[in-house]
Amino acid sequence: MASQSEKKLSISERALASLHEGSAAQNRPAGTENAAYLDGLNNEQREAVLATEGPVLMLAGAGTGKTRALTTRLAHLLHTGRAQPWQILAVTFTNKAAREMKERIEKLVGESVEGMKWLGTFHSIGAQILRRHAELAGLKSSFTILDADDQVRLAKQVIEAANLDPKRWTGRGLAYVIDAWKNRGLTPDKVPANEAYNFAEGKAIDLYRAYQARLTTLNAADFGDLLVHNLTIFQANPDVLEEYQRRFRYMLVDEYQDTNVAQYLWLRLLAQKHKNICCVGDDDQSIYGWRGAEVENILRFEKDFPGAKVIRLERNYRSTPSILGAASGLISSNTARLGKTLWTDLEEGEKVKVRGVWDGEEEARLIGDDIEAEQAKGRSLSDMAVLVRASFQMRAFEERFNTLGLAYKVVGGPRFYEREETRDALSYLRLIRSADDDLAFDRIVNKPKRGLGDKALQVLHKIARAQRRADDDSTAFEVGAQGISLMAASRIALESDDLHAAARRSLVNFVDTIDRWSRDAKDMAPADLAELVLEESGYIDMWKNSKSPQAPGKLDNLKELIQAVSEFDTLEGYLDHVALVSELNEDTGGGQVWLMTLHAAKGLEFPVVFLPGWEEEIFPSKRALDENGNAALEEERRLAYVGVTRAEESCRISFAANRQIYGRWQAAMPSRFIDELPEEHVDVVSEPGLYGNAAGDFASHSSFEGVKLRDDAYYDNPGWRRARAAKSRSAGEPPMIEGRGATVSVSAGASKFKKGQRVFHQKFGYGEIFAVEGQKLTVNFEHSGLKKVIDTFVDAA
DNA sequence: GTATATGATATTTTT
DNA sequence: TATCATATAC
């Protein structure tokens, strides 16, 4: 269609590119700047492709054709013979991104992609390297990769072994602390002493050490270890490091804004020799800070890699000027940015719609209607997406879509490999492969029930702990130190009379069966083994006999699992795949509305995007703000930016005045992000009487300036209150707040109130003052489900 | 050792 | 409101 103008452009760009050629052209076969794969790239993209030598930072805004530039760059390296496929290190965060990159390069250069064995996620490449040098990290190369659930269970065991209260100090909490350290590349001996108090009153580092000791015993590594072990190996063995430094002549990193410190260190070590590292990212789309990502990595790039070339991709091919303008205005409130000016020459399009509604149900109804209207106009359902901040917000939409009979597809959610039945089945396979895998043992000894309950397990654990390996000369006190595996302990237990006759009979059977399977495994296809094991163990029967409504689904999943195993030649191959790849043949939503979290939507685009739930405390999330203050606020804002920039043609933001969360009614304030949208790109369409009309309450609300974190004045905005009060008094409306009644402490402005006075609170409605103590008020509210809240907002009723 | 009741707890989650 | 883990009863 636009071939004429595009062709013209590409000729002029070609001319321009030949100017760059001088600097970067050694060794290059003549004429490659005309290679077909460069056609249709804009100047910046082309520059990003051709600047092959030295450090490069590609700042690629949303929708600027990043993936294209990046895959072309790789194709170019291969095509010009600058590097052999195995000399390129290309890292992504997701398997999906890695797969996509591979496919696209294949299309560009054909063959030779198969040789790119170092194209993958940080974790898969880390695992690859670690397997080759496992012994340098005290592991066997057959080590097991633990997932998040295993990690938590292990952490819990460590806490229990240290005689700490597992209620006060949870496995999840410890796993989180350890993860945070690993994200920063810190092994137990490197953790600053003052951080010991992050958890369990100073015992945190000991617990971390014990946790690592347990991992070594189990011959296992968690996700964080895959990189941290790499770092330790590289630092302690310069020869190994050099091997890789020499191998990776060119490095490419996608989503650089989401790298954590460990990943950053890893990249820096590897890049030291050739220094041909190209990092691609967008500081405005860094949304994984809570997982250890450091925006600073990208902000600091030029300092870290002196002489770095910075290339900005600023031409947006995705969104209309309105959408782009709204997003840009929003993100400009952030301070920690490199700054970009996205532009587009698409047509103006409709403004971003902002709509206020009375409650969450109404919001779902409105969006459902909108979707049907779009559908009636001929738009495909899969062109539309509802993006929410948190997954609990999805329920309202699922319910509404179900009643409307709208097909929808939830992306994310409980994943195949995280489901109970899948994890159980995998545990059988893991135990067969590695008898030392205690976590797997624990999980399935008594599943299905074999009469080996808590009592028997306790005996086994006790034996395991008491026994030390012959070759283990460690004397140091280790919390949770465990000498031998549970499987080995079982064999000892069978020789003693520590177990009851019934338990013993059952255990003999179990151990023998596992042994037999292990022998069988050697000359059996993994899928056949899986099938045999699940049948013979009685695991499938367990679900067949189950009355649980979920049983049929679980049986289906087990079938699907066997199917998945059949695609692998070895059990090892399959288990590694499972550990590192979480998705399983994702359906492409043909004719289904997409429903997902904002995080899950990163990297995607849709013609029509709905962004519901833009309310203070939900978005930006109160919890994030409480935990991380301004840094979190900026991250939430980036998340909002990601949301808006997913839209190609239409972006519809909404918020509700009242919302039911976990069955409780709560009143809500519109998100400050709404106020930050530039007016010229926004159409405010609110329910009359709620935010109303031109004279309107919304106007007064949005004209309020200087909004700070949890600023009380913001909550006290008169327009908002008036609107809510008016609405709440009319009969037949949904209650503003429902609940049993509770006592609430109020901490400010108490002096003007008297005991017995009737008051109105922003969030909790009407109540009577029960007591006044100095600056503190205690109020009995008529309707409130909350037991105790410290807040500052009360007015005479 | 297993079935049922209670109660705490619920952002985001690329690997 | 649903889910999970732990506490208790059988």
Side-chain angles (χ1 to χ4, degrees):
Chain A
M1 291 182 277
S3 68
Q4 211 180 5
S5 65
E6 257 180 35
K7 199 161 190 184
K8 203 170 169 189
L9 203 67
S10 100
I11 290 167
S12 68
E13 283 174 351
R14 208 170 291 173
L16 219 138
S18 64
L19 292 175
H20 293 292
E21 185 189 7
S23 59
Q26 293 142 357
N27 308 332
R28 176 143 45 100
T32 48
E33 71 277 9
N34 292 323
Y37 54 75
L38 292 174
D39 281 347
L41 295 183
N42 66 32
N43 292 348
E44 291 76 29
Q45 291 172 326
R46 182 174 290 243
E47 193 185 356
V49 170
L50 296 178
T52 54
E53 312 305 306
V56 173
L57 177 62
M58 198 194 298
L59 278 177
T64 53
K66 170 195 79 168
T67 310
R68 177 152 189 214
L70 201 141
T71 47
T72 309
R73 184 184 168 97
L74 286 176
H76 180 67
L77 291 172
L78 293 170
H79 182 73
T80 56
R82 282 186 165 77
Q84 296 303 314
W86 58 89
Q87 291 171 323
I88 297 177
L89 174 69
V91 245
T92 62
F93 274 82
T94 64
N95 292 292
K96 200 171 138 207
R99 210 182 318 120
E100 192 185 338
M101 205 184 283
K102 213 169 226 174
E103 283 164 8
R104 290 178 70 160
I105 299 169
E106 206 153 36
K107 267 194 201 130
L108 289 171
V109 292
E111 31 33 85
S112 72
V113 185
E114 278 316 303
M116 289 199 65
K117 50 185 291 201
W118 303 104
L119 187 164
T121 63
F122 274 104
H123 292 87
S124 71
I125 291 172
Q128 238 180 102
I129 292 178
L130 185 56
R131 289 223 189 272
R132 299 176 83 206
H133 311 280
E135 72 293 346
L136 297 177
L139 294 170
K140 289 179 253 169
S141 78
S142 61
F143 66 83
T144 307
I145 299 169
L146 300 189
D147 64 21
D149 190 70
D150 289 329
Q151 218 180 323
V152 171
R153 287 197 299 145
L154 191 59
K156 194 180 166 209
Q157 286 176 17
V158 170
I159 287 165
E160 279 166 355
N163 285 321
L164 292 165
D165 177 7
K167 271 189 187 148
R168 175 81 183 79
W169 308 108
T170 61
R172 222 179 133 190
L174 178 60
Y176 182 84
V177 170
I178 290 177
D179 244 12
W181 281 326
K182 288 185 177 176
N183 284 336
R184 288 160 60 199
L186 298 173
T187 49
D189 50 304
K190 286 197 191 133
V191 174
N194 61 339
E195 290 188 28
Y197 291 89
N198 284 3
F199 189 83
E201 292 145 2
K203 297 213 179 78
I205 298 177
D206 292 334
L207 293 172
Y208 181 12
R209 199 167 280 122
Y211 173 88
Q212 288 306 115
R214 287 286 289 127
L215 280 176
T216 311
T217 319
L218 292 171
N219 189 32
D222 63 20
F223 284 131
D225 281 344
L226 295 178
L227 280 157
V228 175
H229 281 324
N230 268 239
L231 290 178
T232 331
I233 291 172
F234 288 157
Q235 277 154 1
N237 306 275
D239 52 319
V240 176
L241 174 60
E242 214 196 316
E243 181 199 331
Y244 288 100
Q245 284 178 336
R246 217 172 315 165
R247 180 190 313 249
F248 299 139
R249 300 178 63 154
Y250 292 92
M251 292 169 58
L252 193 139
V253 189
D254 194 13
E255 307 281 14
Y256 189 64
Q257 78 280 357
D258 286 331
T259 48
N260 61 33
V261 172
Q263 289 157 342
Y264 161 78
L265 293 171
W266 188 82
L267 290 169
R268 245 176 69 145
L269 281 175
L270 290 173
Q272 249 162 37
K273 177 141 177 73
H274 293 292
K275 299 197 170 66
N276 295 328
I277 181 169
C278 173
C279 294
V280 189
D282 179 1
D283 47 321
D284 292 335
Q285 293 189 67
S286 169
I287 55 174
Y288 283 98
W290 48 275
R291 270 183 132 263
E294 299 262 341
V295 215
E296 284 71 29
N297 287 347
I298 194 166
L299 301 179
R300 246 201 351 240
F301 187 86
E302 290 172 88
K303 275 195 205 118
D304 289 336
F305 297 95
K309 185 168 200 169
V310 180
I311 299 169
R312 286 180 157 79
L313 302 191
E314 296 181 312
R315 175 169 179 184
N316 177 294
Y317 294 93
R318 179 188 294 159
S319 313
T320 63
S322 294
I323 291 167
L324 217 50
S328 303
L330 178 65
I331 200 68
S332 69
S333 299
N334 270 9
T335 52
R337 322 176 50 209
L338 289 168
K340 283 185 305 299
T341 316
L342 295 189
W343 61 277
T344 177
D345 57 9
L346 296 175
E347 275 176 44
E348 190 60 33
E350 70 179 58
K351 289 187 173 184
V352 170
K353 266 194 195 134
V354 174
R355 300 181 286 195
V357 294
W358 178 238
D359 66 10
E361 275 178 44
E362 190 177 319
E363 185 182 45
R365 230 177 292 133
L366 180 76
I367 289 177
D369 292 350
D370 264 20
I371 290 172
E372 288 193 322
E374 288 291 332
Q375 197 185 14
K377 279 193 270 171
R379 206 189 282 279
S380 158
L381 287 178
S382 57
D383 283 346
M384 298 181 261
V386 179
L387 310 181
V388 297
R389 170 70 243 268
S391 44
F392 69 79
Q393 295 170 273
M394 288 186 191
R395 189 189 299 167
F397 294 97
E398 293 202 56
E399 276 169 15
R400 187 64 195 155
F401 294 164
N402 280 330
T403 52
L404 288 176
L406 266 181
Y408 65 92
K409 164 105 186 145
V410 176
V411 178
R415 277 171 297 190
F416 185 78
Y417 290 115
E418 285 166 7
R419 289 178 205 157
E420 181 191 6
E421 62 279 15
T422 323
R423 296 181 48 79
D424 288 340
L426 287 173
S427 292
Y428 275 102
L429 298 178
R430 272 166 55 177
L431 194 60
I432 289 166
R433 181 180 65 156
S434 161
D436 289 342
D437 196 332
D438 282 2
L439 291 162
F441 185 99
D442 255 340
R443 203 178 166 97
I444 48 109
V445 248
N446 205 29
K447 215 169 175 186
K449 302 255 184 302
R450 296 189 176 87
L452 295 165
D454 288 349
K455 204 74 176 269
L457 266 243
Q458 267 170 26
V459 172
L460 294 183
H461 273 285
K462 203 173 141 217
I463 295 175
R465 223 171 302 134
Q467 295 282 329
R468 304 224 122 219
R469 281 212 173 115
D471 59 351
D472 182 1
D473 55 358
S474 75
T475 51
F477 162 75
E478 283 170 354
V479 204
Q482 184 146 11
I484 59 169
S485 69
L486 290 172
M487 195 54 127
S490 302
R491 293 180 209 279
I492 292 174
L494 291 175
E495 315 246 302
S496 71
D497 49 6
D498 293 336
L499 289 171
H500 284 297
R504 193 210 209 100
R505 238 175 294 131
S506 184
L507 189 61
V508 173
N509 199 332
F510 181 73
V511 171
D512 285 352
T513 317
I514 296 282
D515 281 348
R516 178 163 54 80
W517 286 333
S518 306
R519 283 193 304 273
D520 293 349
K522 295 202 173 58
D523 37 38
M524 236 177 148
D528 296 339
L529 179 73
E531 200 164 0
L532 176 88
V533 168
L534 293 178
E535 282 292 346
E536 283 193 5
S537 61
Y539 190 74
I540 285 192
D541 286 338
M542 178 183 107
W543 287 115
K544 275 188 184 153
N545 299 331
S546 160
K547 281 166 287 182
S548 154
Q550 288 150 348
K554 294 192 187 257
L555 286 166
D556 284 347
N557 285 334
L558 289 171
K559 270 190 208 127
E560 205 173 336
L561 177 97
I562 293 168
Q563 176 58 38
V565 183
S566 71
E567 283 163 31
F568 290 80
D569 297 332
T570 65
L571 187 54
E572 280 71 24
Y574 176 69
L575 290 174
D576 246 23
H577 168 83
V578 169
L580 294 168
V581 181
S582 58
E583 80 253 51
L584 191 79
N585 47 9
E586 280 263 340
D587 282 359
T588 43
Q592 293 168 306
V593 181
W594 297 97
L595 183 54
M596 65 187 97
T597 63
L598 287 161
H599 284 90
K602 196 169 98 173
L604 305 175
E605 56 189 16
F606 309 92
V608 182
V609 168
F610 296 92
L611 301 170
W614 280 41
E615 293 136 35
E616 283 293 308
E617 310 210 330
I618 290 181
F619 193 32
S621 145
K622 170 173 157 51
R623 199 155 145 186
L625 265 43
D626 286 350
E627 277 166 28
N628 273 316
N630 199 53
L633 176 61
E634 297 218 339
E635 181 153 314
E636 295 286 304
R637 193 177 281 118
R638 290 193 291 266
L639 204 47
Y641 174 81
V642 166
V644 175
T645 52
R646 294 314 93 192
E648 295 170 355
E649 296 165 29
S650 175
C651 177
R652 308 181 196 183
I653 295 167
S654 54
F655 59 92
N658 297 288
R659 189 177 287 285
Q660 228 176 350
I661 299 175
Y662 302 130
R664 296 253 118 98
W665 279 100
Q666 279 183 227
M669 293 289 292
S671 168
R672 69 193 75 190
F673 297 151
I674 288 173
D675 293 344
E676 292 171 4
L677 295 166
E679 260 177 69
E680 68 268 31
H681 297 300
V682 174
D683 229 354
V684 178
V685 193
S686 284
E687 189 176 274
L690 183 54
Y691 290 98
N693 317 323
D697 299 324
F698 185 74
S700 70
H701 171 231
S702 52
S703 65
F704 182 82
E705 278 178 23
V707 174
K708 290 196 289 296
L709 221 53
R710 308 255 304 133
D711 191 322
D712 298 326
Y714 184 74
Y715 286 82
D716 193 27
N717 183 286
W720 169 246
R721 230 172 22 184
R722 210 165 41 241
R724 280 196 55 235
K727 191 78 180 179
S728 67
R729 277 190 217 104
S730 56
E733 295 291 344
M736 199 149 56
I737 295 177
E738 272 183 350
R740 284 187 303 270
T743 302
V744 177
S745 300
V746 178
S747 58
S751 54
K752 53 179 177 175
F753 297 107
K754 291 193 297 275
K755 184 172 174 177
Q757 192 179 349
R758 200 169 135 83
V759 291
F760 175 74
H761 183 275
Q762 276 281 274
K763 250 196 213 155
F764 309 117
Y766 293 97
E768 192 177 293
I769 297 179
F770 173 75
V772 184
E773 291 169 53
Q775 281 301 303
K776 281 202 168 177
L777 281 183
T778 306
V779 181
N780 273 320
F781 286 106
E782 294 162 13
H783 302 289
S784 168
L786 296 171
K787 284 170 197 140
K788 193 186 160 207
V789 172
I790 309 294
D791 211 310
T792 51
F793 249 87
V794 173
D795 242 347

